[in-house]
Amino acid sequence: MFGGIGLYTKFYILFQIIGLTLIYYVYYYIVQYRGGFSFTEPKIIFNWHPLLMTIAFVYLFANAILLYRTYPNNTKKKLKNQHSVIHGCILILIVIAGFAAFVSHQYSVPQIPHLYSLHSWLGVITILMFLSQFISGLWCFLYPGVAAQHRETLAPYHVFFGISIFTLAIATSVLGFCEKLIFSLSSKYQLFPAEGVLVNILGIVFVFYCLLVVYMITKPEFKRRPKLEYETLLK
């Protein structure tokens, strides 16, 4: 099936298959077990939160941090613009997802307290780290007044925090799904219901997806090789 395809491309195909599968099964889980989606019913409005967060902080964020390795022949300027556009889309989705969670808690009967769980605390930390990374990235790598040597100095930290945010997003997602199961199923969870088994498997796939992305982003052979005619764009 993959004869003649480079090693990175094989991993990238696997990465895309798993990422899209995760989105599909999160959607399937919500429709099959959690009542689908709504714009008016508070309990159902919440269901936009896990789906949009999965698309934004898991799938799109992973694609953003792998962008430079996926398209090594594109100019740095083009890649930086694409990278920032993807992050802009992520920002829009997490704002909508956060709003869905807030509305659901605020208008549920009885009202559900905000930001009391470990999942929500880690979620806030992840979002704040993402915003800091996004703003600092726009200033450092797109603002023309920043010297090239400063960008070269800050680039490794930008990569490190990008990986850290993605890893934290995966952990927060898994914790959120676990929390949802405990609240929804209570003591039935220990009886291995189909819903519980599906979400447990989803959690394992989330973790595997994280390990795959971290491997692809840290493997030296997959790193983009600088091209002199492109690197002049940094100056």
Side-chain angles (χ1 to χ4, degrees), residues 10 15 22 33 36 61 84 102 124-125 152 166-167 175 234:
K10 294 177 183 178
F15 154 78
L22 276 174
Y33 296 104
F61 197 85
S84 62
F102 175 83
V124 170
I125 292 171
E152 293 173 0
F166 176 70
T167 304
L175 189 60
L234 285 172

Side-chain angles (χ1 to χ4, degrees), residues 170-186:
I170 293 289
T172 305
S173 299
V174 172
L175 189 60
F177 280 110
C178 183
E179 179 183 291
K180 187 65 176 178
L181 281 181
I182 293 172
F183 288 162
S184 302
L185 299 178
S186 188

Side-chain angles (χ1 to χ4, degrees), residues 67-68 71-84 141-142 148 151-152 155 223-235:
L67 188 68
Y68 288 86
Y71 303 101
N73 294 321
N74 286 358
T75 64
K76 263 284 185 68
K77 183 177 180 180
K78 183 176 181 180
L79 289 170
K80 286 191 291 185
N81 288 336
Q82 292 171 343
H83 188 75
S84 62
F141 298 105
L142 288 180
R151 294 174 179 172
E152 293 173 0
K223 187 176 181 180
R224 179 182 181 274
R225 296 292 183 264
K227 294 178 173 56
L228 291 177
E229 66 271 24
Y230 296 160
E231 300 314 305
T232 54
L233 292 169
L234 285 172
K235 300 180 181 179

Side-chain angles (χ1 to χ4, degrees), residues 69 163 213-221:
R69 284 153 177 76
I163 296 173
V213 172
V214 172
Y215 175 77
M216 292 172 69
I217 201 70
T218 57
K219 187 173 175 61
E221 292 84 349

Side-chain angles (χ1 to χ4, degrees), residues 83-145:
H83 188 75
S84 62
V85 167
I86 295 175
H87 277 71
C89 294
I90 293 170
L91 179 60
I92 293 171
L93 290 178
I94 64 176
V95 168
I96 298 172
F99 180 74
F102 175 83
V103 169
S104 176
H105 285 205
Q106 185 71 23
Y107 294 101
S108 291
V109 180
Q111 189 180 93
I112 302 172
H114 299 291
L115 303 177
Y116 68 91
S117 66
L118 178 59
H119 165 72
S120 62
W121 288 18
L122 288 177
V124 170
I125 292 171
T126 305
I127 291 171
L128 291 177
M129 289 179 64
F130 171 80
L131 290 175
S132 299
Q133 178 88 334
F134 183 52
I135 294 170
S136 63
L138 288 177
W139 174 78
C140 180
F141 298 105
L142 288 180
Y143 182 64

